[in-house]
Amino acid sequence: MAESSQVTTSADEVAEKLKEIKLKKIEDEVAASYILVDIGANLTNSKYSRDLDSVIERAKDAGVRKIMVTGASVQCSKDALRLTRLYPGMLYSSAGIHPHDAKTWTDEDPNCYEVIKELASNPECVAVGECGLDFNRNFSPPDIQMEVFEKQVQLACEVRKPLFLHERDAHDDMVRILSKFKDRLPPAVLHCFTGTTAQCLKYLEMGLYIGLTGFLWKDKSDDGVRSILENNLLPLDRLLVETDAPFMYPNVRGSKIPANIKQALSERSLSYLNRYCTFQRNEPCSLPVIVEMIAAYMKRSTEEVAMATTINAIKLFGFS
């Protein structure tokens, strides 16, 4: 009888111990799950047409609480707004014409300005863009790009919503056009920044936020994003983070990333990246790895960078 009681007590102790281990594991997971905002993901892309529910659930599990779905054309902006209604409180959208598609401004819709304005007037649409200049590829002629960009800056001033900006090899013209509206320019973020120190400092001087992506893994220039972070030239209160999914996959296995940066990446964040993201299809669940890389280069804690970027996104876009 006493022996049976001992066995029962032992079983109870084991059960209690297992419960404690399980609770500790849950606590560790909660503590490791940063509260993040992805300010740019192209979730209207056809690569997500079959499993968007799963993509969004993985993002939530990884700690991403809000995602802005990028509008890059009239149809894309309409689709982005539609997604916000399917995932209220999680997804928000932008409305605009990407510089690659600037030549479609009149072709796509004769009343393009009014259509974008109407889309941007919806509460779920929190920014005008993605708009700007891309002289790297010139899929649209530069003069058309500048004309269409200026119209969208005008529109953002009119509806008083932030600008979601794209710039490649067009810094001087970007500054020139934005400067025309300096007395009434709404807040703006230079999305997926890949420029130089001088360009970054100029954008900061103009009051812009800087958005960083997984591009960080392949930047090895002496005067690029890594250098900006290492030299603490980008204040935390002007930093935003994004995946630009399905693009800008952060290849953390690449030889270009220093060993100390790789060591700063948590197993939890890497598990999402390695299980669900590829060069062909990045996902918002990769955002924790991007934040950890940024924090490592800045020599700050990931929690500090996560908190700052989330607060910045809420302030800029007015997320509920």
Side-chain angles (χ1 to χ4, degrees):
M1 196 67 183
E3 192 174 321
S4 173
S5 176
Q6 259 187 337
V7 170
T8 304
T9 303
S10 179
D12 289 344
E13 287 174 351
V14 169
E16 188 63 31
K17 190 65 177 174
L18 287 172
K19 185 179 177 182
E20 286 176 10
I21 292 169
K22 188 176 180 181
L23 286 172
K24 181 68 169 62
K25 186 179 179 184
I26 292 170
E27 287 171 0
D28 289 344
E29 286 178 356
V30 170
S33 181
Y34 317 117
I35 298 174
L36 301 171
V37 174
D38 186 347
I39 67 151
N42 302 281
L43 296 184
T44 61
N45 191 287
S46 60
K47 291 182 178 181
Y48 302 117
S49 59
R50 294 186 177 184
D51 65 341
L52 187 59
D53 283 345
S54 298
V55 169
I56 289 171
E57 281 306 311
R58 283 194 284 273
K60 285 181 183 177
D61 292 344
V64 181
R65 298 293 183 262
K66 311 280 183 186
I67 302 171
M68 187 167 80
V69 183
T70 310
S73 66
V74 168
Q75 188 56 53
C76 178
S77 298
K78 288 178 179 178
D79 292 342
L81 182 63
R82 181 182 60 83
L83 287 182
T84 69
R85 273 104 192 236
L86 295 176
Y87 303 93
M90 175 69 178
L91 300 189
Y92 296 80
S93 69
S94 68
I97 306 293
H98 192 284
H100 289 343
D101 296 315
K103 60 182 179 290
T104 70
W105 179 268
T106 52
D107 297 343
E108 201 172 77
D109 194 305
N111 301 308
C112 201
Y113 188 96
E114 292 304 320
V115 173
I116 296 293
K117 182 180 175 182
E118 184 182 348
L119 289 168
S121 299
N122 285 275
E124 302 94 339
C125 180
V126 295
V128 173
E130 179 176 354
C131 60
L133 304 171
D134 193 315
F135 297 166
N136 179 270
R137 297 184 181 180
N138 281 331
F139 289 149
S140 288
D143 58 329
I144 299 297
Q145 289 188 48
M146 289 188 281
E147 180 187 346
V148 171
F149 175 45
E150 191 162 334
K151 286 178 181 177
Q152 292 180 89
V153 178
Q154 168 67 43
L155 192 154
C157 292
E158 193 176 336
V159 298
R160 300 305 303 164
K161 288 204 172 174
L163 278 159
F164 188 71
L165 301 171
H166 174 108
E167 183 263 305
R168 288 288 182 281
D169 297 344
H171 173 77
D172 292 343
D173 284 307
M174 172 73 74
V175 170
R176 179 180 58 78
I177 291 171
L178 292 176
S179 296
K180 288 185 180 182
F181 299 87
K182 64 179 180 181
D183 294 332
R184 55 199 180 106
L185 191 70
V189 55
L190 203 294
H191 132 85
C192 191
F193 179 77
T194 58
T196 66
T197 297
Q199 291 169 354
C200 178
L201 292 176
K202 181 60 181 178
Y203 287 136
L204 291 172
E205 179 190 314
M206 295 174 71
L208 271 60
Y209 288 84
I210 301 295
L212 298 183
T213 66
F215 168 81
L216 190 57
W217 80 267
K218 60 181 177 181
D219 174 49
K220 208 174 182 183
S221 64
D222 294 331
D223 192 34
V225 178
R226 289 189 189 183
S227 175
I228 291 165
L229 294 176
E230 287 171 338
N231 292 312
N232 285 307
L233 298 175
L234 177 52
L236 269 183
D237 63 1
R238 297 286 195 85
L239 173 63
L240 293 163
V241 290
E242 53 183 319
T243 58
D244 201 25
F247 316 111
M248 291 294 166
Y249 170 75
N251 180 23
V252 297
R253 294 171 177 168
S255 60
K256 294 179 182 179
I257 300 181
N260 66 306
I261 303 298
K262 291 182 179 181
Q263 289 165 7
L265 306 179
S266 69
E267 286 186 21
R268 189 174 193 276
S269 297
L270 287 171
S271 70
Y272 283 101
L273 179 72
N274 295 332
R275 287 177 66 187
Y276 303 115
C277 306
T278 65
F279 275 107
Q280 288 71 39
R281 195 182 86 156
N282 191 21
E283 289 191 18
C285 69
S286 71
L287 194 60
V289 157
I290 294 168
V291 174
E292 288 173 355
M293 276 201 293
I294 291 169
Y297 278 112
M298 296 181 86
K299 295 183 174 60
R300 292 177 179 267
S301 73
T302 305
E303 291 76 14
E304 184 183 11
V305 173
M307 183 65 71
T309 56
T310 295
I311 290 170
N312 293 343
I314 291 169
K315 283 165 57 179
L316 177 60
F317 297 115
F319 294 128
S320 59

